Amino acid sequence: MRVLTVKRVYVNEKWCLGCHLCEYHCEFSNSGLDSMTKLKGVRINPRVRVEDDAAHDIHFAVSCRHCDDPLCMKGCIAGAISRDETGTVVIDKNKCVGCYTCVAMCPYGAVMPDSDGHAAQKCELCTANGKKPACVEGCPNGAIVFEER
């Protein structure tokens, strides 16, 4: 098995405030909207999710890990999940049949139904936007980083 050296999103839960701003920046980045204020009052479906353990004051963002041997890609019956030229695991929504086998197979809970419920979605590192991942850019405490490890 070939191990890829891919920049990935990592989270330092000690620095995460649990503010959920990464979720809003993710949703805005992938929404096509011209103003984040248009998300006010809208139920968002971001590709990164903050998990909270209030009892222990622990918060951390969960997003696709772009695994070296992705189970979601192995389980995709339509061949809609692949790697792009950068090594990022991506979903071709035109091929996705909405069976959600990938959702069930992801051990991290990082693959989910899209807003329409017709296809799967996951973090694709904002590759379609041609910039650093929005969750990283929008994290006020620097708890989310984009780097090689």
Side-chain angles (χ1 to χ4, degrees), residues 45 49 71-77 81 91 96 98-114 117-122:
N45 189 24
R49 299 205 187 274
L71 294 176
C72 62
M73 190 162 54
K74 285 182 175 182
C76 181
I77 63 169
I81 303 177
I91 298 175
C96 181
C99 70
Y100 302 134
T101 302
C102 54
V103 173
M105 292 193 74
C106 177
Y108 304 106
V111 184
M112 65 211 76
D114 69 5
H118 300 299
Q121 74 174 18
K122 56 176 262 344

Side-chain angles (χ1 to χ4, degrees), residues 7-61:
K7 279 182 135 182
R8 295 183 172 125
V9 171
Y10 295 96
V11 179
N12 183 344
E13 67 275 357
K14 291 179 182 178
W15 295 352
C16 181
L17 301 171
C19 67
H20 297 261
L21 278 173
C22 56
E23 294 175 341
Y24 279 90
H25 282 280
C26 174
E27 181 71 18
F28 177 63
S29 178
N30 291 290
S31 70
L33 296 173
D34 60 356
S35 172
M36 189 182 286
T37 59
K38 291 181 179 175
L39 292 176
K40 185 175 181 176
V42 174
R43 183 168 182 242
I44 64 170
N45 189 24
R47 298 165 187 210
V48 61
R49 299 205 187 274
V50 174
E51 295 292 327
D52 298 298
D53 180 353
H56 298 98
D57 195 29
I58 296 172
H59 316 277
F60 56 92

Side-chain angles (χ1 to χ4, degrees), residues 78-141:
I81 303 177
S82 62
R83 285 196 189 277
D84 69 9
E85 61 281 351
T86 67
T88 303
V89 178
V90 297
I91 298 175
D92 181 340
K93 290 192 177 227
N94 293 320
K95 289 183 180 178
C96 181
V97 296
C99 70
Y100 302 134
T101 302
C102 54
V103 173
M105 292 193 74
C106 177
Y108 304 106
V111 184
M112 65 211 76
D114 69 5
S115 296
D116 299 329
H118 300 299
Q121 74 174 18
K122 56 176 262 344
C123 171
E124 295 183 352
L125 304 173
C126 290
T127 52
N129 305 325
K131 56 186 176 186
K132 192 181 222 183
C135 60
V136 174
E137 291 283 324
C139 181
N141 218 31

